[in-house]
């Protein structure tokens, strides 16, 4: 077990715990999943976005396809928790659980976008931009979906909530610190984009310097002067103005962006984080529970909005048809936990 894997796991497990707390998994007194979903439905129906006008035309087939993709992905994520797999297996499934939580958010975002009468965003960047447009760029209060890091600070902070930007990622997560830890997850994600953009700009300037030198050298040799040895072209530093321009032009970062970052990290950069990082047999189960709840609550928020746009009978028909085809009667996991909440809310 490496120190790097331990540290990464503690950081991201804490971020996921904080996001789950903001979504409704309150620290004390604890609530059952149905109680959390009921409370989230009340919060969601109070949003101004629930009164958005129904579009003139909607591709219902695509809305259904996107929702069914999300429901199926959520079911795969939830099975490990439902059947109580061993700690060793949960560690392995959490690597894919991160991927599944991201794709639930991805497909849910696409379903909502199409229900609004828009074409389906068919790439990761387009879908992530759509999420930002729907949730982060509007004055809405439904954390963690509407909460995010921006160039001007943090979007949609409720009255009374505060963010400590100096908080350590391993600090204990509670009702108060959940805001700061979530902010740190989003802000560090956005700062990563800014760093990448600065690197690209520096490489662009380095390439421009090299091109300018070679063009000058062509003129020198054409004038009969001897050819010089090309110099080493160091990566130039960016001016404060260049850095400020990049920072201001970088869009807000929110839940979907953090989940995508975590998906890339576990799939391509640090696959040992969830397998070798946990220090005991309980923390992996908590991570899985947080991923599962974030997926379920994200779907409920989007399902309620979609249902208002396309009509309750249409959405419930899809829900009941999918449950009948994919879940044994009485199995309470994934969509089955939300069916009655959807019915009673829309």
């Amino acid at each position: 077990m490496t120190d790097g894997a331990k540290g990464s796991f503690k950081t991201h497990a804490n971020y996921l715990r904080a996001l789950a707390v903001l979504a409704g998994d309150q620290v004390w007194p604890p609530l059952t999943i149905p109680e959390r979903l009921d409370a989230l439905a009340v919060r969601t129906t109070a949003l101004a976005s629930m009164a958005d006008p129904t579009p003139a035309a909607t591709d219902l087939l695509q809305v259904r396809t996107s929702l069914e993709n999300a429901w199926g992905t959520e079911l795969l994520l939830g099975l490990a928790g439902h059947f109580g797999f061993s700690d060793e297996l949960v560690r392995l499934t959490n690597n894919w659980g991160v991927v599944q939580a991201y794709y639930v958010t991805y497909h849910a975002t696409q379903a909502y976008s199409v229900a609004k009468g828009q074409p389906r965003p068919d790439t990761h960047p387009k879908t992530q931009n759509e999420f930002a447009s729907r949730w982060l760029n509007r004055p809405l209060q439904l954390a963690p979906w509407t909460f995010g890091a921006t160039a001007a600070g943090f979007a949609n902070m409720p009255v009374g909530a505060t963010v400590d930007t100096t908080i350590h990622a391993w600090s204990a997560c509670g009702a108060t610190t959940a805001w700061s830890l979530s902010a740190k997850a989003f802000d560090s994600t956005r700062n990563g984009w800014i760093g990448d953009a600065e690197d690209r700009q520096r490489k662009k300037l380095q390439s421009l310097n090299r091109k300018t030198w070679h063009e000058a050298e062509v003129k020198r040799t054409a004038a009969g002067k001897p050819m010089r040895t090309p110099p080493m072209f160091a990566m130039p530093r960016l001016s404060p103005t260049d850095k400020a321009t990049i920072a201001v032009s970088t869009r807000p970062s929110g839940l979907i962006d953090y989940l995508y970052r975590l998906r890339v990290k576990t799939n391509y950069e640090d696959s040992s984080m969830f397998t070798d990082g946990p220090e005991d047999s309980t923390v992996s189960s908590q991570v899985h529970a947080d991923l599962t709840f974030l997926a379920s609550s994200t779907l409920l928020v989007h399902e309620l909005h979609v249902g208002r746009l396309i009509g309750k009978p249409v959405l419930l028909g899809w829900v009941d048809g999918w449950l009948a085809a994919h879940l044994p009667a009485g199995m309470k996991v994934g969509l089955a936990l939300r069916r009655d909440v959807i019915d009673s809310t829309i």
Side-chain angles (χ1 to χ4, degrees):
M1 187 183 296
T2 65
D3 290 339
K6 286 183 183 180
S8 291
F9 177 82
K10 288 175 71 173
T11 294
H12 291 286
N14 217 24
Y15 288 164
L16 290 169
R17 180 90 283 270
L19 292 167
V21 168
L22 292 190
D25 184 10
Q26 66 183 48
V27 178
W28 189 262
L31 299 176
T32 65
I33 292 178
E35 287 172 335
R36 294 181 220 163
L37 295 175
D38 284 336
L40 178 58
V42 173
R43 292 170 60 201
T44 304
T45 55
L47 293 178
S49 53
M50 288 289 284
D52 285 351
T54 301
T58 299
D59 185 348
L60 291 178
L61 178 59
Q62 182 57 63
V63 177
R64 181 174 187 174
T65 297
S66 293
L67 284 176
E68 289 184 344
N69 286 338
W71 294 337
T73 305
E74 180 200 19
L75 178 60
L76 292 174
L77 171 61
L79 287 177
H82 181 78
F83 288 109
F85 294 153
S86 68
D87 174 58
E88 182 178 3
L89 189 53
V90 172
R91 290 179 185 227
L92 290 171
T93 59
N94 280 344
N95 264 333
W96 285 107
V98 168
V99 179
Q100 290 156 347
Y102 168 72
Y103 274 104
V104 165
T105 309
Y106 173 88
H107 290 302
T109 300
Q110 293 187 344
Y112 183 26
S113 180
V114 177
K116 292 278 290 181
Q118 304 297 319
R120 181 178 74 89
D122 56 1
T123 66
H124 293 291
K126 289 180 182 178
T127 303
Q128 292 156 13
N129 287 339
E130 183 68 16
F131 183 96
S133 296
R134 297 292 174 201
W135 300 118
L136 302 181
N137 295 343
R138 300 181 65 178
L140 301 171
Q141 293 288 337
L142 191 68
W145 303 277
T146 59
F147 183 46
T150 77
F154 296 100
N156 297 318
M157 284 282 295
V159 175
T162 59
V163 163
D164 176 8
T165 57
T166 67
I167 193 171
H168 194 283
W170 301 351
S171 299
C173 178
T176 302
T177 56
W179 286 102
S180 298
L181 291 167
S182 297
K184 197 173 187 72
F186 297 155
D187 198 39
S188 57
T189 299
R190 188 171 177 275
N191 284 338
W193 298 344
I194 292 173
D196 291 341
E198 289 179 349
D199 287 344
R200 289 192 297 270
Q201 182 63 16
R202 292 178 68 201
K203 289 177 182 176
K204 182 179 178 180
L205 292 175
Q206 182 189 43
S207 178
L208 181 60
N209 290 342
R210 186 180 292 112
K211 179 182 177 182
T212 300
W213 186 91
H214 282 293
E215 288 175 347
E217 191 65 10
V218 169
K219 292 179 180 179
R220 287 184 78 258
T221 55
K225 296 180 179 180
M227 183 179 294
R228 297 177 298 178
T229 300
M232 294 293 293
F233 291 93
M235 288 278 283
R237 293 183 178 182
L238 297 182
S239 69
T241 300
D242 288 337
K243 290 185 176 183
T245 299
I246 290 172
V248 169
S249 63
T250 301
R251 72 162 176 82
S253 167
L255 178 65
I256 195 171
D257 306 300
Y258 170 69
L259 291 175
Y260 183 74
R261 166 192 170 190
L262 200 53
R263 172 232 173 185
V264 170
K265 182 177 179 63
T266 55
N267 272 193
Y268 304 112
E269 299 171 0
D270 187 8
S271 61
S272 67
M273 180 173 70
F274 285 113
T275 54
D276 297 342
E279 294 181 284
D280 60 54
S281 61
T282 63
V283 288
S284 291
S285 295
Q286 182 63 64
V287 166
H288 186 270
D290 291 336
L291 287 169
T292 303
F293 179 61
L294 283 171
S296 183
S297 56
T298 294
L299 267 169
L300 179 61
V301 167
H302 288 79
E303 287 158 351
L304 295 180
H305 280 80
V306 168
R308 282 286 175 90
L309 292 168
I310 68 173
K312 175 178 172 179
V314 174
L315 179 58
L316 270 185
W318 297 347
V319 168
D320 290 338
W322 191 89
L323 289 173
H326 295 88
L327 258 71
M331 185 177 184
K332 291 296 184 180
V333 62
L335 180 58
L337 289 169
R338 297 190 305 280
R339 193 270 176 204
D340 291 343
V341 181
I342 295 169
D343 187 19
S344 63
T345 303
I346 299 175

